[in-house]
Amino acid sequence: MIPTQAYCDPNKPEEAALWAVVGIEETPGVPMIAPEESLRGLSRQLHDAGFRHHPELQTKKAIIVGAPEQEGVSWMGVGEIKWVPIDYEDSPEVLAAAAAEQEELLTDDDLDQASGAQLMAFAQKLQARGVIRAPEAPTAADAGDHAVASSLGGD
């Protein structure tokens, strides 16, 4: 996902302001050089601090010039970040991609009817596409008291 305003969910704290922190107007064309996870954290921090978007007050929006609207494209290397007037007309490609993003491909009913094996296969496909991360291997710190008890001969 390229975090433009059309793609970000205003009801998710980690996305509510994400689109607004991808680039600074005073440094035209330069994205914020920070991992997306950090920018999502900044969005959450602003949300937790009480900042909220007021569409009626918005006069500008960020666009990514030359951004290909394709799945799996990292937004950090796609093009120039530019702040434009709010009435700037997005390209048909951007509008179509944003509309497609809102379409529900699978409903809860679809997922409820799937077998465990189908759900696992679906999860593996999502991991392969980078949509979700594979579970991390547990560490000694994750084991907590159980590791201590095991080392003492108890479970």
Side-chain angles (χ1 to χ4, degrees):
M1 170 188 84
I2 298 173
T4 55
Q5 191 170 1
Y7 288 106
C8 293
D9 184 343
N11 297 314
K12 292 182 179 176
E14 66 276 1
E15 292 184 15
L18 180 61
W19 59 271
V21 298
V22 296
I24 300 173
E25 188 172 15
E26 285 74 24
T27 58
V30 180
M32 291 283 280
I33 306 299
E36 184 175 338
E37 182 178 305
S38 296
L39 295 177
R40 287 177 173 276
L42 177 57
S43 177
R44 188 179 323 100
Q45 180 177 326
L46 290 170
H47 181 273
D48 292 348
F51 288 85
R52 298 295 185 272
H53 178 246
H54 294 276
E56 71 279 7
L57 301 177
Q58 185 177 353
T59 60
K60 293 188 175 189
K61 64 181 179 179
I63 63 167
I64 302 176
V65 180
E69 299 298 333
Q70 297 175 12
E71 190 64 34
V73 175
S74 172
W75 66 273
M76 289 289 283
V78 296
E80 172 187 358
I81 299 207
K82 185 176 181 182
W83 284 88
V84 296
I86 191 67
D87 58 357
Y88 174 89
E89 193 169 323
D90 290 313
S91 72
E93 294 82 14
V94 169
L95 294 173
E101 185 86 10
Q102 302 304 316
E103 292 178 18
E104 190 171 3
L105 295 177
L106 294 172
T107 65
D108 287 341
D109 288 339
D110 294 330
L111 295 173
D112 290 343
Q113 293 174 16
S115 69
Q118 288 171 319
L119 292 172
M120 292 298 291
F122 186 55
Q124 289 172 344
K125 288 180 182 181
L126 292 174
Q127 288 173 5
R129 291 174 182 234
V131 176
I132 59 174
R133 292 188 183 128
E136 294 181 15
T139 64
D142 295 329
D145 293 333
H146 179 67
V148 173
S150 293
S151 69
L152 297 174
D155 279 322

